[in-house]
Structure formats: C-alpha cells, structure tokens
C-alpha cells in the first residue's frame, strides 16, 4: 500500500487469526517468546508467553487498526492460480506477466487479475483423527487435545497417555499435570526436545552469549529431571539442539 499497490486478501473462513480460532484450546499459550510471534515488531504483547485470548485480541486489533476489512474477502476459497507469461524473456517484470486467481464464494466463481500472489495458508487448520484397533473396548476417557474438546478437570488423579509429539501434545502434557494428573506418558515416533521456558527465553533475548552456556543449562535441567543425555538408544534424550531431534 505504501508503494501505491492495490492489495486484496482472500480468506477461506469467516474470521482472522486462523488456528487460534479454529483448534486452539482455552488454555493454549504461544510456545515461544512473544517477540518472535509479533505481527509488528513495534507492537509487543502484554505478556511474555501470550494466552489464546491475548493472541486473538492482538490480531483483531491489528486487523482493525489497518482497516484491513476494506480489502479482505471472507468466505473466499481459492481454487486455482494461473501464472501467465509476459511479453519479454529478458527482465523478470516483463517475463512474469501477471496472475489470474480463481476463487469461489457463496457458490459463485470469481477471478482476480494481479501482479503477484502471496500464499499464506497457515497450518493445523484440520486436526488428524485416527482410530486404533480395539479402541471401542477402552473403558476410560479418550479424546483429542484441541478445540477445547476435553475438560481439563477430568485429568485430576488420572494416569494420562498422550499420543504424538507435536505442539499440542506438549501443551496437553503441561495442562494434564497442572490439573492434577498422577502421571503422564507421552508416546511419539521420533525424538524431540522440550525446552524449559528459561532456556528458550535466554536463546531469544540474550546477545553475544556462547552456545556452550545453553548446552550446559540444558544438561543441568536434564540431570535434575533424572535424564541421561547422549547420542544413541542408551540415553534418555539427545544433546541440546541435536540434528536428529525436533524442538518444542
């Protein structure tokens, strides 16, 4: 807009803020320090690890302050993007030509001609649901840890098993323990590292600090938790930021 360009946003749903509206739990927080999750660097959150309500308010306020409703089409599902060649092979601007975006809204089809398309479809909009053999014979409580589909009060005095190692799995481990679970078992296919907030905070905010310092802190936390650190099946967890693991 500052360069005099016309912008059009096509949003499939009826609201902004994506998965925070569709699948986040009532107890969900941003898993990283707030500075890495800002829409604008000049607009900080009120807390270091913002709650779901803060994220929604922040995003909606930003949307309104920039008058983005004037150029946003809600309920618009993009069906096709066609990139048309330009008239000359010599410069990118002339070679690229333009795009034709086809979308549907209210059972009607529309087309937009534009100079370029930025695809920001997000992630985690639809959870993966899996049925396990014998699940129908399980007499306990089962459910998915998203969309606030489970009342966290049911965790009290329970032995909890969580399947998966993604962000929602880690969030539900924390929620279950905070709500009084006796024990939580996490089943996952690949190794992962769950960093305490203090280490992630320092990684995000400290300057000119040596990597070795964070590795030493990681090892101290692992030792406190009774976990051995090393490479291979003989160890409980991999070294700090080891390439064979995922981080949460």
């Amino acid at each position: 807009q500052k360069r005099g360009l016309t912008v059009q946003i096509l949003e499939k749903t009826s609201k902004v803020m994506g998965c925070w509206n569709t699948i986040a739990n009532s107890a969900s927080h941003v898993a990283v320090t707030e500075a890495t999750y800002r829409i604008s660097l000049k607009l900080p959150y009120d807390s270091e690890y913002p709650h779901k309500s803060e994220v929604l308010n922040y995003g909606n306020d930003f949307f309104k302050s920039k008058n983005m409703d004037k150029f946003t089409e809600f309920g618009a599902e993009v069906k096709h993007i066609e990139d048309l060649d330009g008239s000359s092979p010599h410069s990118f601007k002339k070679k690229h030509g333009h795009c034709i975006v086809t979308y549907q809204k209210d059972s009607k089809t529309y087309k937009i001609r534009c100079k370029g398309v930025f695809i920001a479809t997000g992630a985690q909009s639809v959870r993966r649901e899996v049925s396990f053999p014998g699940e129908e014979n399980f007499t306990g409580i089962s459910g998915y840890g998203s969309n606030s589909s489970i009342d966290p009060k049911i965790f009290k005095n329970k032995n909890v098993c969580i399947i998966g190692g993604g962000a929602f799995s880690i969030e539900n481990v924390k929620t279950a323990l905070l709500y009084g679970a006796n024990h939580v078992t996490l089943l996952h296919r690949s190794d992962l590292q769950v960093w305490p907030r203090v280490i992630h905070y320092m990684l995000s905010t400290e300057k000119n600090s040596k990597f070795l310092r964070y590795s030493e802190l990681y090892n101290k936390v692992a030792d406190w938790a009774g976990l051995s650190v090393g490479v291979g099946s003989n160890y409980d967890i991999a070294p700090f930021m080891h390439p064979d693991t995922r981080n949460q």
Side-chain angles (χ1 to χ4, degrees), residues 10-12 73-80 102-105:
L10 301 177
E11 169 56 40
K12 182 179 178 180
E73 192 79 47
F74 289 103
E77 183 175 1
V78 174
K79 293 296 185 179
H80 183 68
T102 303
Y103 71 95
Q104 288 184 346
K105 179 177 180 179

Side-chain angles (χ1 to χ4, degrees), residues 1-50:
Q1 284 181 302
K2 291 180 179 179
R3 294 176 178 268
L5 299 175
T6 301
V7 178
Q8 179 73 44
I9 298 176
L10 301 177
E11 169 56 40
K12 182 179 178 180
T13 68
S14 60
K15 299 179 180 179
V16 297
M17 300 309 291
C19 66
W20 286 100
N21 269 313
T22 57
I23 65 171
N25 294 308
S26 58
S28 293
H29 286 74
V30 174
V32 295
T33 51
E34 66 86 21
T36 63
Y37 209 77
R38 297 177 191 173
I39 297 177
S40 170
L41 292 177
K42 297 180 180 179
L43 296 173
Y45 283 91
D46 293 331
S47 57
E48 191 59 51
Y49 293 89

